[in-house]
């Protein structure tokens, strides 16, 4: 990705939303972008499994795990499935596990931190619902751009307008 989040903020100051969270990079791809698909679920990654099993088509999966650090919302198996199925990246408002293996994948992964404990699998959670965390609202179909400086969200793609 040649689009830097800092440059996007400068060029599109009026329309940018900057995620105000100290996310860490875990994937093998640091910079990524694409249209957003969302999941809201607390300590249950059943919906994450459903999503990454589908063709990603360059999308970014944004998971609102409520900021919980008690159970990981993404591990190496689901991350590998996401990479294989063409997802550009995953942003987790929560924690992940299997970071060594995830770091070897051609997938962007940002999360608050890590926890070795897996999630419950109760089939709970919402897909493609609007999310609100880190001081921003994020809706399905909006565009997310991420790199080493952070995560920004726009109502539509700005790839060709900067």
């Amino acid at each position: 990705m040649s689009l830097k989040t800092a440059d996007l903020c400068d060029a599109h100051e009026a329309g940018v939303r900057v995620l105000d969270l100290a996310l860490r990079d875990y994937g093998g791809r640091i910079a990524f972008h694409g249209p957003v698909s969302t999941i809201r679920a607390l300590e249950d990654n059943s919906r994450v499994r459903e999503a990454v099993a589908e063709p990603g088509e360059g999308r970014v999966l944004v998971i609102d795990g409520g900021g919980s650090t008690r159970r990981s919302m993404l591990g190496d198996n689901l991350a590998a499935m996401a990479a294989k199925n063409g997802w550009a990246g995953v942003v987790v408002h929560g924690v992940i596990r299997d970071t060594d293996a995830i770091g070897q994948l051609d997938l962007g992964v940002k999360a608050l931190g890590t926890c070795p404990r897996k999630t419950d699998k109760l089939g709970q959670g919402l897909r493609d619902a609007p999310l609100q965390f880190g001081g921003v609202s994020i809706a399905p179909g909006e565009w997310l751009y991420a790199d080493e400086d952070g995560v920004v969200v726009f109502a539509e793609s700005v790839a060709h307008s900067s």
Side-chain angles (χ1 to χ4, degrees), residues 17-142:
R17 286 171 274 150
V18 179
L19 192 62
D20 186 16
L21 284 178
L23 296 174
R24 296 183 53 194
D25 288 303
Y26 293 101
R29 183 189 304 172
I30 302 301
F32 56 96
H33 68 281
V36 169
S37 181
T38 64
I39 293 175
R40 184 183 321 134
L42 182 63
E43 299 179 8
D44 182 343
N45 70 356
S46 301
R47 300 291 173 248
V48 176
R49 177 175 290 282
E50 288 174 5
V52 301
E54 299 170 358
E57 301 170 334
R59 291 178 292 163
V60 176
L61 184 60
V62 180
I63 304 166
D64 183 0
S68 173
T69 59
R70 294 182 297 263
R71 297 193 180 260
S72 63
M73 294 298 289
L74 183 76
D76 59 346
N77 292 332
L78 296 186
M81 193 180 305
K84 176 180 173 258
N85 288 331
W87 289 85
V90 181
V91 175
V92 184
H93 180 221
V95 293
I96 67 167
R97 67 184 195 166
D98 304 315
T99 57
D100 185 52
I102 289 174
Q104 305 302 311
L105 298 172
D106 184 22
L107 179 72
V109 178
K110 289 183 175 282
L112 292 175
T114 63
C115 176
R117 184 178 292 131
K118 67 181 179 177
T119 70
D120 293 324
K121 308 272 191 294
L122 304 173
Q124 297 177 349
L126 295 174
R127 287 192 58 189
D128 291 319
L131 305 179
Q132 177 82 38
F133 64 88
V136 301
S137 61
I138 303 171
E142 293 187 318

